[in-house]
Amino acid sequence: MKSFLATLVFWAILAVGAQAASIDSAYTKIKLDNCQVQEIPAADEGTFGGSWLCAGYKGMPVYVAEGDLRMFVSFGIGAEGERAAEQTLPNFNTVNETLEWRLRDGEAFATILRWFIDNPEGGKPGSILIVTQVVPGATCQIARIDARANQNANQMARQAADTMAGHYDCSQEPQVLGTPGALN
Protein backbone atom coordinates (compact mmCIF):
# COMPACT_ATOMS: atom_id res chain seq x y z
CA MET A 1 0.00 0.00 0.00
CA LYS A 2 2.87 2.38 0.86
CA SER A 3 4.48 1.73 -2.48
CA PHE A 4 1.18 2.43 -4.26
CA LEU A 5 0.79 5.76 -2.39
CA ALA A 6 4.41 6.70 -3.09
CA THR A 7 3.88 5.96 -6.78
CA LEU A 8 0.65 7.97 -6.79
CA VAL A 9 2.37 10.95 -5.13
CA PHE A 10 5.27 10.70 -7.61
CA TRP A 11 2.91 10.80 -10.60
CA ALA A 12 0.91 13.66 -9.09
CA ILE A 13 4.09 15.70 -8.62
CA LEU A 14 5.22 14.84 -12.13
CA ALA A 15 1.85 15.87 -13.57
CA VAL A 16 1.90 19.22 -11.75
CA GLY A 17 5.47 19.81 -12.91
CA ALA A 18 4.59 18.95 -16.49
CA GLN A 19 1.63 21.32 -16.40
CA ALA A 20 3.79 24.16 -15.03
CA ALA A 21 6.45 23.46 -17.66
CA SER A 22 3.92 24.10 -20.43
CA ILE A 23 3.49 27.75 -19.36
CA ASP A 24 5.82 30.17 -21.11
CA SER A 25 6.09 33.80 -22.19
CA ALA A 26 6.40 35.53 -25.54
CA TYR A 27 6.89 39.23 -26.15
CA THR A 28 5.57 41.63 -28.77
CA LYS A 29 5.72 45.40 -29.16
CA ILE A 30 2.92 47.94 -29.23
CA LYS A 31 4.13 50.62 -31.64
CA LEU A 32 1.16 52.72 -32.69
CA ASP A 33 3.00 53.96 -35.81
CA ASN A 34 2.94 50.33 -37.06
CA CYS A 35 -0.74 49.77 -36.19
CA GLN A 36 -3.89 50.27 -38.22
CA VAL A 37 -5.80 53.41 -37.24
CA GLN A 38 -9.35 52.42 -36.28
CA GLU A 39 -10.75 55.80 -35.33
CA ILE A 40 -9.28 59.26 -35.69
CA PRO A 41 -10.23 61.78 -33.02
CA ALA A 42 -12.92 64.23 -34.12
CA ALA A 43 -11.72 67.83 -34.35
CA ASP A 44 -14.51 69.00 -32.04
CA GLU A 45 -13.94 66.23 -29.47
CA GLY A 46 -10.93 67.19 -27.40
CA THR A 47 -10.84 64.19 -25.06
CA PHE A 48 -10.70 61.28 -27.53
CA GLY A 49 -7.21 60.58 -28.84
CA GLY A 50 -8.03 57.80 -31.28
CA SER A 51 -7.91 54.02 -31.48
CA TRP A 52 -5.64 51.52 -33.19
CA LEU A 53 -5.54 47.83 -34.00
CA CYS A 54 -2.10 46.24 -33.68
CA ALA A 55 -0.79 42.74 -34.32
CA GLY A 56 0.14 40.80 -31.20
CA TYR A 57 1.30 37.25 -30.56
CA LYS A 58 0.66 35.07 -33.64
CA GLY A 59 -1.19 38.05 -35.14
CA MET A 60 -3.77 38.24 -32.34
CA PRO A 61 -5.47 41.65 -32.48
CA VAL A 62 -4.43 44.19 -29.84
CA TYR A 63 -6.88 47.08 -29.53
CA VAL A 64 -5.41 50.30 -28.14
CA ALA A 65 -7.39 53.48 -27.52
CA GLU A 66 -6.71 56.78 -25.82
CA GLY A 67 -9.29 59.04 -24.24
CA ASP A 68 -8.94 61.87 -21.74
CA LEU A 69 -5.19 61.15 -21.50
CA ARG A 70 -5.85 57.55 -20.42
CA MET A 71 -5.12 54.34 -22.31
CA PHE A 72 -7.40 51.36 -22.91
CA VAL A 73 -6.00 48.02 -24.16
CA SER A 74 -7.85 44.83 -25.12
CA PHE A 75 -7.09 41.64 -27.01
CA GLY A 76 -8.55 39.15 -29.48
CA ILE A 77 -11.18 39.15 -32.20
CA GLY A 78 -13.73 41.80 -31.27
CA ALA A 79 -11.30 43.25 -28.71
CA GLU A 80 -12.95 46.67 -28.81
CA GLY A 81 -16.16 45.10 -27.48
CA GLU A 82 -14.51 43.34 -24.55
CA ARG A 83 -14.56 44.62 -20.95
CA ALA A 84 -10.80 45.31 -21.13
CA ALA A 85 -11.47 47.97 -23.78
CA GLU A 86 -13.36 49.96 -21.11
CA GLN A 87 -10.81 49.55 -18.29
CA THR A 88 -8.09 52.02 -17.43
CA LEU A 89 -6.47 53.59 -14.38
CA PRO A 90 -7.84 56.74 -12.74
CA ASN A 91 -4.60 58.74 -13.19
CA PHE A 92 -3.52 60.04 -16.59
CA ASN A 93 -1.49 57.21 -18.07
CA THR A 94 0.42 55.70 -20.97
CA VAL A 95 1.46 52.12 -21.72
CA ASN A 96 4.88 50.61 -22.25
CA GLU A 97 5.53 49.21 -25.70
CA THR A 98 6.65 45.75 -24.49
CA LEU A 99 3.74 43.34 -24.02
CA GLU A 100 4.26 39.97 -22.32
CA TRP A 101 1.97 37.17 -23.43
CA ARG A 102 1.49 34.22 -21.06
CA LEU A 103 1.17 31.01 -23.05
CA ARG A 104 -0.13 27.59 -22.17
CA ASP A 105 0.93 25.00 -24.72
CA GLY A 106 1.69 27.85 -27.13
CA GLU A 107 -1.73 29.53 -26.79
CA ALA A 108 -2.11 32.98 -25.25
CA PHE A 109 -4.31 33.03 -22.16
CA ALA A 110 -3.17 36.29 -20.50
CA THR A 111 -1.07 39.40 -20.98
CA ILE A 112 1.06 41.54 -18.71
CA LEU A 113 1.56 45.18 -19.63
CA ARG A 114 3.33 47.97 -17.75
CA TRP A 115 1.36 51.20 -17.48
CA PHE A 116 2.92 54.50 -16.43
CA ILE A 117 0.71 56.77 -14.35
CA ASP A 118 1.13 60.46 -13.68
CA ASN A 119 2.13 61.34 -10.18
CA PRO A 120 -0.37 64.00 -9.02
CA GLU A 121 2.30 65.41 -6.69
CA GLY A 122 4.82 65.72 -9.51
CA GLY A 123 8.02 63.75 -9.78
CA LYS A 124 8.60 60.29 -11.13
CA PRO A 125 5.56 58.61 -12.74
CA GLY A 126 4.15 55.44 -11.20
CA SER A 127 4.62 52.03 -12.77
CA ILE A 128 1.74 49.55 -12.67
CA LEU A 129 1.69 46.02 -14.08
CA ILE A 130 -1.75 45.07 -15.37
CA VAL A 131 -2.64 41.42 -15.96
CA THR A 132 -5.43 40.82 -18.47
CA GLN A 133 -7.05 37.46 -19.13
CA VAL A 134 -7.50 36.71 -22.83
CA VAL A 135 -10.75 34.78 -23.17
CA PRO A 136 -13.18 35.47 -26.03
CA GLY A 137 -16.21 37.16 -24.50
CA ALA A 138 -14.44 37.54 -21.13
CA THR A 139 -11.26 39.51 -21.81
CA CYS A 140 -10.72 41.83 -18.86
CA GLN A 141 -8.13 43.14 -16.43
CA ILE A 142 -7.79 40.70 -13.54
CA ALA A 143 -4.88 42.04 -11.47
CA ARG A 144 -2.93 45.24 -10.87
CA ILE A 145 0.47 45.42 -9.16
CA ASP A 146 2.40 48.57 -8.26
CA ALA A 147 5.85 47.78 -9.64
CA ARG A 148 7.57 50.42 -7.48
CA ALA A 149 5.98 49.24 -4.21
CA ASN A 150 6.60 45.52 -4.85
CA GLN A 151 10.14 44.31 -5.45
CA ASN A 152 8.93 41.07 -7.10
CA ALA A 153 6.17 42.67 -9.21
CA ASN A 154 6.98 40.78 -12.43
CA GLN A 155 6.89 37.44 -10.61
CA MET A 156 3.62 38.44 -8.92
CA ALA A 157 2.10 39.37 -12.29
CA ARG A 158 3.10 36.05 -13.87
CA GLN A 159 1.72 34.11 -10.92
CA ALA A 160 -1.56 36.06 -11.12
CA ALA A 161 -1.82 35.36 -14.84
CA ASP A 162 -1.03 31.68 -14.42
CA THR A 163 -3.48 31.07 -11.57
CA MET A 164 -6.32 33.55 -12.15
CA ALA A 165 -6.68 33.88 -15.94
CA GLY A 166 -9.33 31.82 -17.64
CA HIS A 167 -11.87 31.82 -14.84
CA TYR A 168 -11.92 35.42 -13.59
CA ASP A 169 -15.35 37.04 -13.34
CA CYS A 170 -15.13 40.19 -15.48
CA SER A 171 -18.00 41.81 -13.57
CA GLN A 172 -15.51 42.18 -10.70
CA GLU A 173 -12.87 44.90 -10.52
CA PRO A 174 -9.26 43.77 -11.00
CA GLN A 175 -7.56 42.63 -7.80
CA VAL A 176 -4.82 44.84 -6.37
CA LEU A 177 -2.00 42.49 -5.36
CA GLY A 178 0.85 43.08 -2.94
CA THR A 179 1.57 46.48 -1.45
CA PRO A 180 -0.95 48.87 -3.10
CA GLY A 181 1.40 51.87 -3.34
CA ALA A 182 -0.06 54.22 -5.97
CA LEU A 183 -3.10 51.97 -6.35
CA ASN A 184 -4.58 53.18 -3.03
Side-chain angles (χ1 to χ4, degrees):
M1 183 67 171
K2 284 184 179 180
S3 126
F4 173 75
L5 287 176
T7 303
L8 188 60
V9 168
F10 170 78
W11 285 111
I13 290 169
L14 189 61
V16 169
Q19 183 180 19
S22 66
I23 295 178
D24 201 4
S25 290
Y27 300 86
T28 60
K29 297 287 185 183
I30 298 175
K31 293 187 178 189
L32 298 182
D33 290 342
N34 299 336
C35 300
Q36 178 183 351
V37 175
Q38 293 295 111
E39 193 172 355
I40 298 172
D44 61 341
E45 177 59 53
T47 62
F48 179 67
S51 65
W52 300 263
L53 202 56
C54 309
Y57 176 73
K58 290 187 177 180
M60 181 180 287
V62 177
Y63 172 80
V64 180
E66 189 274 327
D68 194 26
L69 301 177
R70 291 168 180 85
M71 302 301 290
F72 303 84
V73 183
S74 186
F75 308 94
I77 303 296
E80 61 277 0
E82 295 281 359
R83 171 91 166 104
E86 303 168 355
Q87 294 176 299
T88 190
L89 294 163
N91 301 55
F92 296 144
N93 61 68
T94 60
V95 296
N96 192 26
E97 70 178 27
T98 301
L99 176 61
E100 180 176 356
W101 297 83
R102 294 300 284 166
L103 312 173
R104 186 173 286 119
D105 297 327
E107 296 299 318
F109 65 90
T111 64
I112 302 169
L113 182 61
R114 185 176 303 272
W115 297 49
F116 300 106
I117 59 172
D118 280 356
N119 183 339
E121 298 164 5
K124 197 172 191 177
S127 179
I128 309 297
L129 295 179
I130 295 186
V131 181
T132 302
Q133 78 178 0
V134 179
V135 175
T139 296
C140 62
Q141 294 180 8
I142 62 175
R144 295 174 177 174
I145 300 124
D146 185 317
R148 296 205 196 291
N150 294 280
Q151 207 170 26
N152 59 342
N154 289 323
Q155 181 182 6
M156 291 171 66
R158 288 183 187 113
Q159 183 176 7
D162 298 352
T163 59
M164 296 168 56
H167 52 83
Y168 196 80
D169 179 358
C170 290
S171 69
Q172 304 296 311
E173 290 300 313
Q175 291 186 18
V176 175
L177 303 178
T179 303
L183 293 168
N184 273 335

